[in-house]
Amino acid sequence: MEIVTKVATVVQSLLGTWAEEVAQGCDVIQRRRKFTAATLARTLVLGFLAKPDASDEELAQCAGLCGVEVTPQAVEQRFTRRLVEFLEGLFRRAVRCVVGANAALAPLLERFDGVFLLDSSTISLPPELAERFPGCGGSHGAGQAAMKLQVLWDLCRGAFQTIAVEAGRDCDYKTAVQSLPLPTGALRISDLGYFDLNVFERLGRQAAFWLSRLQFGTSVFSPLGAPLRLLPWLAEQAGPVVDQPILLGAERKLACRLVAWRVPEEVANRRRQKLIEAARSKSGRTPSPERLAWCDWVILVSNVPAEQLTPREMAVLYRARWQIELLFKRWKSLGRVAELTGSTVPRQMARLWSRLIGVVVQHWLLLTSVWGDIRHSLAKASQAIRRHALLLAAALGSSAELEEAIKTLCRAVRVTARQNKRRRPSTFELLNNPSLLEYGLT
């Protein structure tokens, strides 16, 4: 199925039949006057997609495009706890739908049956929700109440495999998403928050691959089981890049591959400074000399065989993990999903869930327009989609009209979302040509 047709079908279902099904379980439409569950969902999702801080008057204008004549006061009266329940249910229904592009982002990614990035983003919530969504205090814990979104994203085709909603204080490495099976031959890339030898071993038993940085303090052994003093051992290895088989973990002895290289001195010094500042602010202590020396190295571990991935390609793939951070940045800076706006808790939460649905729809539309085209910027494309989002409002009643509206939106995005000239290659350029990597493996 063509990607435009696929996305049009999903968007029409989400803001049509799925909305009506979700509404049956929460009585958001008790007496039908003007709004149906579908037109209410279209008004809020597209209205806040086009303008995250849309007023009631602007939402009423969006409702008019959706075929509903209502006053701003009528919109204002819709912000109830039932509406919040409805929008949360609709978001959870949306993220169950896996929508991926027909084309891969880059040939390097096609060596695997999906390249899955796993990471999380935390959103602070009103303190009244602390019992359901407890936070853990501080800036990262986002206070008394917080929501954590655990996202497993296939960078190859752009599909969200899952977006799980959890409490803000839940630890990343304990998330249930860690246990989700991956397709045979898939690769999972995650940061140190998800470092777990049990998970890596389970992925290997599923014939899937994993790639991670090495957690400081993890026991490392030679293939014959002899313990290694890692940093002195690395310094003894010949060549600019270390690429050796090892065993990980004192008990588990997980067979894998270690790839390491020294970073430039200025990079290592910046790392040490950040590490010292973080340690002093957290515990008042200075990191150990060994921990500071660790900053001289990039150390990756993986079960991908050497014949399938070179050290340079591994470095490019791990660097591509940053794309999920940029995804969250687009959600928060453009979609403003982390901003609590509104005079009441129901208004704040209804806006939050509407914006979250909106960023999912925005991502689906990205897949129809610039996915896999290194000439375009995903951030600029996201901005353009928001500017033209209301094109979809009047077209949702007809599959053919919606497809044409999406095609029109795509043309506008492709014209205006060109990548700025860069001195260094972008992640997408590196994925297409790893030899362009300048961050030396030396």
Side-chain angles (χ1 to χ4, degrees):
M1 183 186 297
E2 185 185 352
I3 184 61
V4 171
T5 302
K6 186 189 306 183
V7 170
T9 300
V10 172
V11 171
Q12 194 170 38
S13 297
L14 173 67
L15 302 179
T17 55
W18 298 352
E20 297 293 345
E21 291 168 4
V22 172
Q24 292 176 8
C26 57
D27 292 328
V28 68
I29 304 294
Q30 292 180 298
R31 290 183 298 168
R32 176 173 173 176
R33 292 182 177 176
K34 294 189 176 181
F35 274 123
T36 64
T39 54
L40 183 58
R42 294 170 186 178
T43 297
L44 296 176
V45 172
L46 296 179
F48 285 121
L49 176 59
K51 188 175 181 180
D53 59 350
S55 65
D56 293 339
E57 182 176 351
E58 289 165 327
L59 292 174
Q61 293 169 1
C62 181
L65 295 175
C66 297
V68 181
E69 295 184 14
V70 291
T71 64
Q73 291 73 23
V75 172
E76 191 275 335
Q77 292 170 5
R78 287 289 175 176
F79 287 93
T80 64
R81 295 189 182 278
R82 285 194 179 92
L83 178 64
V84 175
E85 184 182 351
F86 166 66
L87 292 169
E88 179 182 350
L90 192 58
F91 173 75
R92 293 179 183 274
R93 180 64 183 85
V95 299
R96 283 162 43 195
C97 186
V98 180
V99 179
N102 294 334
L105 189 63
L108 174 59
L109 304 178
E110 291 190 284
R111 296 183 192 176
F112 305 92
D113 192 10
V115 175
F116 294 90
L117 309 182
L118 174 59
D119 209 342
S120 68
S121 185
T122 302
I123 299 172
S124 62
L125 300 178
E128 290 86 345
L129 299 178
E131 184 174 350
R132 185 182 176 201
F133 292 108
C136 53
S139 59
H140 285 293
Q144 299 177 44
M147 170 198 302
K148 181 176 286 188
L149 300 174
Q150 293 283 357
V151 179
L152 186 63
W153 180 31
D154 179 11
L155 188 63
C156 185
R157 306 283 172 177
F160 295 127
Q161 193 71 8
T162 189
I163 302 178
V165 180
E166 299 178 353
R169 73 178 179 189
D170 291 353
C171 296
D172 285 339
Y173 78 94
K174 292 183 178 180
T175 176
V177 179
Q178 287 261 59
S179 302
L180 290 181
L182 295 181
T184 299
L187 170 65
R188 197 195 83 165
I189 306 174
S190 53
D191 68 8
L192 291 176
Y194 300 89
F195 189 92
D196 189 322
L197 297 183
N198 293 321
V199 172
F200 297 158
E201 184 178 53
R202 184 165 59 247
L203 289 170
R205 288 200 302 267
Q206 296 169 6
F209 299 109
W210 50 270
L211 171 61
S212 172
R213 286 169 58 204
L214 178 61
Q215 181 81 274
F216 176 77
T218 305
S219 298
V220 179
F221 300 83
S222 74
L224 298 178
L228 299 177
R229 292 182 60 221
L230 187 59
L231 295 185
W233 176 78
L234 287 175
E236 293 171 356
Q237 304 305 303
V241 182
V242 179
D243 186 356
Q244 295 289 338
I246 60 162
L247 302 177
L248 272 185
E251 297 180 2
R252 195 154 298 278
K253 300 288 197 307
L254 180 64
C256 65
R257 177 182 169 201
L258 181 146
V259 172
W261 63 92
R262 287 186 181 273
V263 300
E265 184 176 358
E266 62 271 20
V267 174
N269 289 336
R270 285 199 300 270
R271 286 180 171 186
R272 277 188 275 272
Q273 186 61 38
K274 289 182 180 179
L275 184 64
I276 291 170
E277 292 173 357
R280 286 177 176 172
S281 65
K282 186 174 182 179
S283 62
R285 299 179 180 178
T286 300
S288 67
E290 184 181 8
R291 182 66 187 89
L292 293 172
W294 193 271
C295 296
D296 290 324
W297 294 88
V298 172
I299 307 174
L300 301 177
V301 285
S302 177
N303 66 337
V304 181
E307 59 270 19
Q308 189 167 349
L309 209 61
T310 68
R312 184 176 292 273
E313 290 167 340
M314 188 180 290
V316 168
L317 280 175
Y318 193 79
R319 175 175 173 155
R321 193 197 66 79
W322 187 247
Q323 290 303 307
I324 198 168
E325 301 285 357
L326 296 179
L327 175 78
F328 294 146
K329 182 178 180 180
R330 290 194 295 273
W331 287 7
K332 291 184 175 182
S333 63
L334 301 179
R336 296 168 68 173
V337 298
E339 293 185 17
L340 291 178
T341 57
S343 56
T344 65
V345 171
R347 284 186 71 90
Q348 292 172 1
M349 293 306 297
R351 288 179 175 223
L352 169 59
W353 290 115
S354 297
R355 291 166 180 166
L356 284 173
I357 300 168
V359 296
V360 172
V361 172
Q362 169 190 292
H363 184 75
W364 291 341
L365 294 170
L366 274 178
L367 300 181
T368 69
S369 54
V370 299
W371 190 259
D373 189 338
I374 63 175
R375 299 170 299 173
H376 291 89
S377 159
L378 295 183
K380 286 186 176 182
S382 298
Q383 291 175 316
I385 287 169
R386 289 182 170 276
R387 284 194 296 269
H388 303 293
L390 295 184
L391 282 173
L392 309 182
L396 278 162
S398 163
S399 298
E401 290 182 12
L402 183 56
E403 284 192 39
E404 284 304 313
I406 292 176
K407 290 177 180 177
T408 300
L409 185 148
C410 288
R411 287 193 291 270
V413 170
R414 294 190 188 108
V415 169
T416 60
R418 294 280 177 166
Q419 185 76 259
N420 293 335
K421 289 185 177 180
R422 302 165 58 101
R423 289 188 301 171
R424 295 182 178 179
S426 69
T427 296
F428 302 132
E429 290 174 311
L430 290 173
L431 288 170
N432 279 276
N433 185 2
S435 66
L436 296 175
L437 181 64
E438 295 177 2
Y439 183 63
L441 300 181
T442 58

